[in-house]
Every structure is written in structure tokens, then in C-alpha cells.
Amino acid sequence: MALTNLTNTYHRDTYPAISSTNPSLSQAGKTVLITGGGSGIGFEIVRSFAKAKASRIIIMGRRVTVLEDAVVKLREEFQNTEFIAQQGDISDEVSTTSVWDHLNSHNVFVHVLVLNAAHLSPMGPDTLKMERKDLMEAFNTNVWGNFSMTAKFVNQPLRPVGEKLNLVNVSTAGIQMNPAPTQNPYVTSKGTFTALLGRIADEHPVEDVQIISFHPGALYSESGAKYFDKDLIDWDEMALPADFAVWSASPEAAWLHGRFVWAHWDVDELKSDEVITKRLEQETGFLKVAVQGLTEISATSFLKKK
């Protein structure tokens, strides 16, 4: 078993348990908002939610033409789902506030939020030679922007009392390789937000808002093409993380509330593994972003008298 794999089976493409056509994962009657949904993995996530019969999908992104082109294609393929192109920049608080105010004013309540938009740059082997402005842009999008979207999602004025929400975070958090990768600021900022989501999940039970973070795999997309050669590795199929996002927004994934997993891992094997199940029950820090090499630490451990 690979060090990056908790299950014997390592998927590179979608499979029946997470398939968006699986009736148990149906998103019928749901309104879904997907950031960065106009292209790449975001577009495929939109398609998977449409296959899962979502009633309405809001595609949020910065580039209006990309969003409009995506909606045209989606409407041709899926006639039973309503698609809305919503221009917005998650790194801009004014922009995100405007988006949520617009939805609220049009009586649109969002049941599922998929945080897919990310700031990939700067990249380089020496972080200390990077410009402060470039580093702050990465953190402003990947941490503050995603936090702002999360807070506005959970606190929607139209949310009925007791209505459960689902939040899915697409993240490469905690993926560190040696020698150090060139995308350190991206990984670090995504890791920071994923760690924050773990904290938020501790504060909000799964019955309130189900939170799942997952690593989508190695994907060759429009954004990735700027930095990586197509022949560099054997890339994963987009359908794997796209369908995994749908699975993560279903009751099937409730037992992983607040955790960070990989789309490659077989969900049935994960759930049936007694060791993993026991650790999830006993260790609140298991499968969460934290300091490597330390067992779980709590405030009470510091307050105990000798």
C-alpha cells in the first residue's frame, strides 16, 4: 500500500460507489454553488452535480465569457437543470458580498457550496525570493476568500431553521514532497484554510453543516497547463474528483465530517476498515491538517497539574 493511500484500491477514475448517477447520491431539489466552475475541474464538478439531478447550479467565476460559454454547453447537455452564470471574485470582499446579496434578493437559497476556485501562483523553489504582494494574493484568495464564502453560505438569511447544509472543499492541503515542490505558497495557503475548516467542523455538528475536504488528484487542466507539461505524468481522470465532490455532498459521506481525504481512496474500503473507523471515533485530529509527528493536543493537557 502506498504511503499516500489508506486503502488497497487506488482509483484514477470514477467508480460505482461515487458515481454521480448513483441514486443514493441524488442532489434533486438542491441548489449548488460552485466557485471556479467555468473551466477545468470546476466545470466537470458542475457536470457531475447535473448528472446527480441538481435542480439549479450557480457557476461563479471571474471571467464572464468563460462562464457564459460554459452555461451554453451545459444547457445543451442537461435540459432538466437550471444553470446560472454568476460573475464574482472570491478574493474581493465587495464582490462576494454582492454575489450573496444578489442571490438573497432573488430568493435563491444555496444548499451546497463547492469551494473549487484557487490562486495557484506564485511558484518557485525559493519562497524568500517571492514578492510579498504575490504571496498575499495567494493567501487572500485561498484563505480569506474561501472563509468569506463559507461564512456567507452558513449564515444565509433565507436558510430555514434546522436546514442542513453541505460544504465541499477541493484542496491539495498538506501535500508536501521532497525535494520541496515549486507550489509551496499554494499548498501552504490551501492547508491553512483546510485546517480552519477542521476547526469550524468541530464547532458545527454534521447535522448543521457537513464539511468535507478532499485532494482531487493529479489533473491536467487549463490552469495546470501553465506550469506542467502534459507528458510529465499519467494524469487522473477529471471524473474522479468531479464525482467525489457529489459523494462528499451526500449523506454517504457524513461520517467524514471535518476530515481531509483523497479522491483516490476507495470509500467503501475506508468505511469498512475497523482501524480507520476507530481512529475517526477516538482521534479528533485524525485526517485533519496538523503538525506532523505530534499526537493529539488539547488545552486540558496543558492545564493538568503534575
Side-chain angles (χ1 to χ4, degrees), residues 174-188:
I175 307 306
Q176 195 74 10
M177 299 181 294
N178 290 309
T182 58
Q183 68 269 30
N184 270 339
Y186 165 71
V187 172
T188 304

Side-chain angles (χ1 to χ4, degrees), residues 107-122:
N107 204 36
V108 175
F109 170 67
V110 178
H111 302 84
V112 180
L113 173 63
V114 180
L115 297 171
N116 170 68
H119 189 91
L120 294 178
S121 60

Side-chain angles (χ1 to χ4, degrees), residues 122-140:
M123 291 192 179
D126 192 341
T127 305
L128 291 177
K129 291 183 179 179
M130 295 177 182
E131 295 291 332
R132 179 181 183 278
K133 176 180 69 68
D134 295 332
L135 284 171
M136 291 308 297
E137 285 180 355
F139 278 82
N140 194 39

Side-chain angles (χ1 to χ4, degrees), residues 47-95:
R47 293 186 67 248
S48 284
F49 272 95
K51 292 177 185 177
K53 304 185 185 304
S55 297
R56 178 194 292 131
I57 302 178
I58 303 162
I59 309 170
M60 181 177 171
R62 295 177 299 171
R63 299 173 295 175
V64 176
T65 55
V66 171
L67 296 176
E68 291 177 344
D69 289 344
V71 166
V72 169
K73 296 175 183 177
L74 291 163
R75 287 172 178 167
E76 290 177 353
E77 185 177 5
F78 305 100
Q79 285 79 38
N80 296 322
T81 297
E82 177 187 359
F83 297 97
I84 299 174
Q86 180 65 59
Q87 196 278 333
D89 182 354
I90 70 168
S91 69
D92 184 337
E93 178 66 10
V94 173
S95 179

